[in-house]
């Protein structure tokens, strides 16, 4: 607010200096001409009133002409800005201001405009990619449903086949509803300055609850689970944290071979909480690790029916809204460890 007032005063001063310079310049010009005409004998003897009129009117006209020329030069960036804004409004995000302007404020306005258009361009790309990915994720299950429905319509198939196709349709629609729920969750938590509904809960207990929920998945694979959980109260969103454990432990199970081992550890230091989830499954290359938080990224397509590559984007965002950090250590064919650091938040 104070800075704005300061900048307004600066601009007003600049404007006054320009007007003052124009006036002085035009008066000087006419003054010099009158003196020259007088000394060369072209004016003869003049009375004061006549001299004054001779001075004021030409000065005024010269002033207007100079002001007009200065305004044309000064208003050029404003007109250019108008054209550029119209182009952006029509969806062209390639416009940029390249030149530097004499007035610092105008140069700054051009710079801010460039930053804004670049951001809009990025957002537009993210948006388009998101729509393309969503359409792609929906296309495959929808054609599967179409295919199974066509089989079901065939009168020649027996009861067992009918049940099998019906189950396939149920499986695919379940995957679709998981994708839709994840997209909705991601859009809900992606809001800037999102407020979380915080409550005190036992963080390790929430991990145990998720493990129980996932029991059918890890018991089928005969995974051994090594738990080292400290009990303490943590202030945050229990529902969101359960989503984090569900995704990380779910992935650890999904990307482990039968008979593998999961290790889950939670501990509280003075002001921070640390949760470590590790598996000795398929692991990841360095290139994969750089992309895992991207929306719809899946390195291992053999498990693509069990997810849509949104899980870790959701995890990262939830940790961020709790002001925490997530770190990955992974080696191909050796295993993966996710470490989460959460600060103890205040009410
Ligand atoms: P998805 O729901 O498809 O698993 P995620 O966002 O949870 O999507 O994970 C993105 C990708 O990261 C996965 O497809 C997989 O390639 C890789 N990934 C995630 N967790 C692990 C893990 N524990 N071990 C190996 N790869 C993993």
């Amino acid at each position: 607010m104070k800075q704005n007032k300061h900048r307004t005063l600066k601009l007003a001063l600049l404007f006054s200096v320009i007007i003052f310079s124009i006036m002085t310049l035009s008066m000087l010009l006419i003054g010099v001409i009158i003196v020259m005409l007088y000394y060369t004998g072209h004016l003869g003897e003049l009375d004061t009133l006549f001299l004054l009129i001779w001075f004021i009117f030409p000065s005024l006209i010269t002033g207007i002409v100079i002001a007009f020329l200065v305004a044309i030069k000064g208003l050029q960036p404003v007109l250019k800005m108008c054209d550029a804004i119209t182009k952006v409004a029509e969806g062209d995000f390639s416009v940029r201001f390249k030149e530097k302007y004499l007035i610092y404020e105008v140069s700054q306005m051009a710079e801010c405009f460039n930053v804004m258009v670049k951001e809009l361009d990025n957002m537009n790309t993210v948006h388009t990619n998101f729509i393309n990915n969503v359409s792609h994720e929906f296309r495959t299950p929808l054609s599967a449903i179409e295919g199974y429905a066509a089989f079901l319509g065939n009168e020649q198939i027996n009861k067992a086949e009918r049940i099998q196709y019906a189950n396939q349709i149920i499986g695919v629609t379940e995957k679709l509803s998981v994708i839709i729920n994840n997209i909705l969750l991601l859009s809900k938590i992606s809001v800037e300055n999102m407020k979380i509904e915080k409550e005190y809960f036992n963080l390790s207990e929430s991990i145990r609850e998720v493990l129980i929920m996932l029991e059918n998945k890890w018991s089928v694979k005969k995974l051994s689970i090594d738990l080292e959980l400290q009990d303490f109260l943590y202030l945050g969103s229990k529902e969101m944290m359960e989503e984090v454990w569900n995704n990380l432990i779910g992935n650890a199970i999904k990307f482990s071979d039968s008979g593998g081992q999961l290790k889950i550890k939670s501990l509280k230091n003075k002001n921070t909480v640390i949760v470590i989830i590790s598996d000795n499954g398929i692991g990841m290359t360095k290139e994969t690790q750089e992309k895992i938080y991207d929306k719809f990224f899946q390195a291992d397509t053999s498990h693509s029916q069990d997810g849509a590559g949104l899980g870790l984007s959701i995890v990262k965002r939830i940790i961020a809204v709790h002001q925490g950090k997530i770190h990955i250590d992974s080696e191909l064919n050796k295993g993966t460890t996710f470490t989460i650091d959460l600060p103890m938040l205040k009410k």
Side-chain angles (χ1 to χ4, degrees), residues 55-284:
F55 184 68
I56 291 173
F57 280 105
S59 295
L60 263 178
I61 291 167
T62 321
I64 289 169
V65 171
I66 298 177
F68 184 74
L69 294 176
V70 170
I72 286 184
K73 184 82 188 134
L75 286 177
Q76 245 172 20
V78 177
L79 295 177
K80 275 192 184 168
M81 187 73 74
C82 267
D83 287 347
I85 291 173
T86 313
K87 276 191 186 161
V88 172
E90 284 164 359
D92 177 1
F93 298 116
S94 63
V95 243
R96 296 285 186 282
F97 281 96
K98 294 210 171 69
E99 57 262 70
K100 283 266 165 262
Y101 295 99
L102 229 67
I103 302 172
Y104 171 74
E105 266 70 20
V106 177
S107 284
Q108 226 187 9
M109 190 165 80
E111 225 168 87
C112 290
F113 175 88
N114 287 346
V115 173
M116 180 192 80
V117 181
K118 196 171 155 222
E119 280 304 310
L120 282 174
D121 197 14
N122 285 348
M123 270 165 64
N124 190 43
T125 316
V126 170
H127 194 226
T128 316
N129 285 350
F130 189 77
I131 292 175
N132 287 345
N133 283 324
V134 170
S135 321
H136 175 79
E137 287 299 326
F138 275 61
R139 200 175 297 133
T140 322
L142 282 177
S143 14
I145 292 175
E146 196 183 357
Y148 294 133
F151 283 136
L152 277 177
N154 184 345
E155 283 175 6
Q156 250 111 73
I157 59 169
N158 59 35
K159 195 177 166 200
E161 283 172 321
R162 185 155 291 135
I163 291 170
Q164 186 202 336
Y165 294 139
N167 283 339
Q168 302 276 29
I169 291 178
I170 292 169
V172 177
T173 47
E174 271 169 7
K175 180 187 167 167
L176 273 178
S177 76
V178 169
I179 297 176
I180 293 168
N181 287 341
N182 278 343
I183 291 173
L184 287 176
L185 178 63
L186 201 57
S187 92
K188 192 175 126 193
I189 59 179
S190 295
V191 178
E192 276 297 315
N193 303 325
M194 186 205 161
K195 287 261 169 299
I196 42 172
E197 303 255 330
K198 287 186 273 184
E199 60 180 311
Y200 279 105
F201 65 96
N202 184 329
L203 193 96
S204 299
E205 195 52 39
S206 72
I207 296 177
R208 285 187 204 103
E209 281 167 20
V210 170
L211 269 171
I212 294 170
M213 250 167 46
L214 295 173
E215 189 182 349
N216 60 339
K217 293 194 176 164
W218 53 262
S219 59
V220 163
K221 281 195 159 179
K222 299 195 173 56
L223 301 180
S224 73
I225 301 194
D226 184 352
L227 292 181
E228 209 181 314
L229 303 175
Q230 248 181 39
D231 282 303
F232 52 85
L233 287 181
Y234 169 76
L235 181 66
S237 162
K238 183 170 188 261
E239 197 187 337
M240 284 192 189
M241 279 303 159
E242 281 178 353
E243 191 63 43
V244 171
W245 315 141
N246 194 25
N247 274 304
L248 293 180
I249 301 173
N251 278 348
I253 299 170
K254 195 158 69 175
F255 298 109
S256 285
D257 297 321
S258 286
Q261 192 184 30
L262 303 192
K263 282 188 189 163
I264 306 173
K265 193 171 171 178
S266 69
L267 57 119
K268 178 179 170 277
N269 290 332
K270 202 169 158 229
N271 295 318
T272 50
V273 167
I274 296 173
V275 179
I276 302 167
I277 297 172
S278 58
D279 62 72
N280 59 352
I282 64 167
M284 289 173 242

Side-chain angles (χ1 to χ4, degrees), residues 251-252 254-255 279 282-284 292 297-300 306-313 336 338:
N251 278 348
K254 195 158 69 175
F255 298 109
D279 62 72
I282 64 167
M284 289 173 242
I292 51 167
F297 173 78
Q298 287 185 311
D300 180 66
D306 300 333
L310 289 174
L312 289 179
S313 322
T336 302
F338 281 98

